[in-house]
Every structure is written in C-alpha cells, then in structure tokens.
C-alpha cells in the first residue's frame, strides 16, 4: 500500500508528499492539536448555549424576524439553487470527479479514501448531535430554544458538508492551492449564510456547522494515518496466512540426510 503512495514522476512525488502533509502548518501557527481542542471547546460551549439559552438567542430571533427571503423575492430562487452546493449528494459527486483525477495523477487511492473517511466522520458526528439536540428551525417556530422536539436543525448539515467536502478538495489540491483554499472558505461561508437567508437555519446552527466541519478536517489527517497503519497490519497478516508453509520433515528424509552426510565424511577421510 505504501508503494501506491509513490508517484510516477517528480511532479507527482511532490503532489503526493504535499498531500501527506495535510495537517501540517508553519510553526508560527498553533499546532493542529491545540486548534482542535480550541474548536471543540467552542463547539461544546455553543451546543450548551443552544440547549440552555444564551444572549445568542437574540441574534437567532433577530435574523429569523428579518425575513430576508420575503424581503428579496427575486434573489430567493438564486439562493435556493446556490445552497445546493451544501447538499451532500451533488457536492460529493463533483468532489469525487476531481479527487478521482488526482488519484490517477498520484497513482494512489489516497484522495478518494480521504473523501470517504471524511464523509463517514461527518455523518457520525453531525448526525449524532442532530438527533440528540432535536432542534426545530425558524421555519417552524420563532423560539430558538425549541430543542428536544424531534427536529434536526443543529448543527447545519449544509454548512458542515460544504466545509468538509470543499475542505478535502483544497487539502488534496496541488496546483493553485491558495485558490482552492479561498474557494473552500468562500463556499462554506456563503452556503451557511444562504441557509439563514432562506430561514432554514438559525445563526447558531450555521456556527455549529462551521465548527463541526472544522473538527472533521482537523481530525482527518490523524484518522487517515491510523486507518492506513491498520490496513497495512491487516495486509501483512493476510499475506502471512496465505504464505506457503514448509513441509515438515519425515523420519525417512531425516535418515536419508544423515546417511548422506556420513558417506560424504567417509569419502573425504579417504
């Protein structure tokens, strides 16, 4: 499997080496672990604020009462189409095409495995919180603290999908890396704001989606490394299972070998 991560040309080797450093950052920035802990703490604090209530309720209520979709009816259809970028199906298919092309260039399954791993992590983490909180959206109620009511609004799935899918694309990109990062940030930001415009989500839902998606991206390099290590161990184990075992020696073969040695020694002594 490690041989597959080696590219066929110097340029591809550079691409693959760049892709391996997904979580690396210059020393002047906080470490990935520090950033992960900080974002996780903010996510937990935000979740507690949604459940228990906080001054953020005022912002949620004000955004919902602004009724932007009805105030700007001409823009609403465009925003409704644009927010599809945050839906998992369309965006993951677009990302799959690009990542498949990168996989061919690198002669490695790594880009596609990263996408599948990231989406699996996103489904487990965001889906669990959605079900546990059960929050209703502004389209159904004007009370931001309508939690444990069977809803699935917090955190925003569209927002977290946009963060993770376009974030993985930016991670794997080699050419025009800065442009791809800018695209990922722009799409993740505007998709989240679009859901507020359409009264689909509260402001805190979008904040939660940004935090949840960022956590997946921060944890992705280490998670992939552990999966790769586990896969290599399993491959070695399976290889050992199918390795031909030496035939046990029989008494006749041992006796024949001993007799041959004695005859050889006797001939040499003469």
């Amino acid at each position: 499997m490690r041989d597959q991560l080696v590219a066929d040309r110097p340029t591809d080797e550079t691409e693959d080496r760049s892709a391996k450093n997904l979580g690396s950052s210059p020393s002047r920035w906080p470490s990935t672990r520090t950033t992960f802990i900080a974002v996780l703490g903010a996510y937990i604090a935000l979740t507690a604020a949604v459940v228990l209530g906080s001054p953020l309720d005022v912002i949620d209520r004000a955004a919902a009462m602004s009724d932007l979709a009805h105030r700007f009816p001409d823009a609403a259809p465009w925003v409704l189409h644009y927010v599809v970028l945050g839906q998992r199906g369309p965006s993951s298919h677009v990302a799959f095409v690009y990542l498949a092309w990168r996989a061919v260039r690198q002669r490695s399954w790594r880009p596609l495995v990263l996408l599948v791993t990231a989406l699996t992590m996103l489904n487990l983490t965001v889906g669990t919180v959605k079900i546990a909180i059960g929050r209703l959206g502004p389209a159904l109620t004007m009370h931001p603290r309508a939690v444990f009511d069977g809803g699935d609004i917090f955190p925003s799935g569209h927002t977290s999908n946009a963060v993770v899918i376009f974030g993985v694309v930016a991670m794997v990109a080699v050419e025009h890396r800065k442009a791809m990062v800018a695209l990922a940030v722009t799409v993740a930001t505007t998709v989240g704001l679009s859901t507020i415009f359409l009264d689909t989500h509260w402001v805190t839902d979008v904040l939660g989606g940004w935090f949840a998606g960022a956590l997946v991206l921060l944890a992705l390099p280490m998670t992939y490394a552990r999966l790769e290590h586990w896969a290599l161990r399993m491959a070695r184990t399976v290889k050992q299972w199918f390795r031909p075992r030496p035939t046990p020696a029989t008494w006749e073969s041992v006796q024949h070998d001993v007799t041959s040695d004695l005859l050889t020694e006797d001939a040499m002594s003469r």
Side-chain angles (χ1 to χ4, degrees):
M1 183 173 181
R2 292 186 182 275
D3 294 336
Q4 292 180 342
L5 298 179
V6 179
D8 58 339
R9 300 194 299 265
T11 55
D12 290 336
E13 291 175 359
T14 303
E15 294 171 358
D16 194 49
R17 186 163 54 253
S18 176
K20 285 185 178 181
N21 297 324
L22 297 178
S24 62
S25 59
S27 57
R28 67 178 182 272
W29 298 106
S31 65
T32 301
R33 179 175 297 180
T34 302
T35 305
F36 180 86
I37 293 174
V39 176
L40 178 61
Y43 187 33
I44 293 174
L46 178 65
T47 304
V50 167
V51 174
L52 302 177
S54 73
L56 294 175
D57 293 346
V58 177
I59 300 177
D60 282 338
R61 189 175 292 108
M65 293 180 65
S66 63
D67 202 12
L68 295 175
H70 289 86
R71 291 174 59 185
F72 302 96
D74 294 336
W78 295 95
V79 176
L80 187 62
H81 285 86
Y82 176 77
V83 83
V84 173
L85 287 175
Q87 289 184 358
R88 192 162 308 163
S91 57
S92 61
H93 282 78
V94 173
F96 178 85
V97 174
Y98 174 78
L99 296 175
W101 176 72
R102 291 247 47 94
V104 172
R105 288 289 305 276
Q106 296 176 203
R107 292 188 175 182
S108 167
W109 290 99
R110 193 170 195 267
L112 296 175
V113 175
L114 281 172
L115 177 63
V116 174
T117 304
L119 290 178
T120 302
M121 295 169 61
L122 182 66
N123 287 337
L124 292 175
T125 55
V126 173
T128 300
V129 177
K130 279 178 172 288
I131 295 173
I133 300 301
R135 192 184 198 186
L136 299 178
L140 299 176
T141 178
M142 290 303 295
H143 301 287
R145 285 167 56 186
V147 295
F148 310 124
D149 284 339
D152 59 352
I153 290 298
F154 179 86
S156 169
H158 280 72
T159 305
S160 57
N161 287 335
V163 172
V164 170
I165 293 175
F166 288 93
V168 171
V169 170
M171 282 181 169
V172 175
V174 176
E175 297 92 353
H176 312 295
R177 168 71 67 84
K178 292 183 179 180
M180 297 300 288
V181 171
L183 174 65
V185 172
T186 300
V187 172
T189 302
T190 53
V191 165
L193 296 177
S194 297
T195 63
I196 298 174
F197 178 91
L198 296 171
D199 287 335
T200 305
H201 285 287
W202 306 100
V203 174
T204 47
D205 296 336
V206 175
L207 290 176
W210 286 331
F211 288 150
L215 288 174
V216 171
L217 292 181
L218 290 169
L220 182 58
M222 181 177 293
T223 302
Y224 177 84
R226 291 184 179 275
L227 288 174
E228 183 184 33
H229 179 70
W230 175 82
L232 288 172
R233 290 184 59 184
M234 289 295 297
R236 285 195 295 266
T237 302
V238 172
K239 187 176 180 180
Q240 290 176 357
W241 286 348
F242 291 96
R243 180 179 298 173
R245 297 182 180 180
T247 305
T250 61
W251 169 251
E252 289 78 6
S253 62
V254 173
Q255 187 178 19
H256 175 74
D257 293 340
V258 172
T259 304
S260 299
D261 293 341
L262 290 175
L263 292 174
T264 302
E265 292 177 0
D266 183 58
M268 293 177 63
S269 62
R270 293 180 182 178

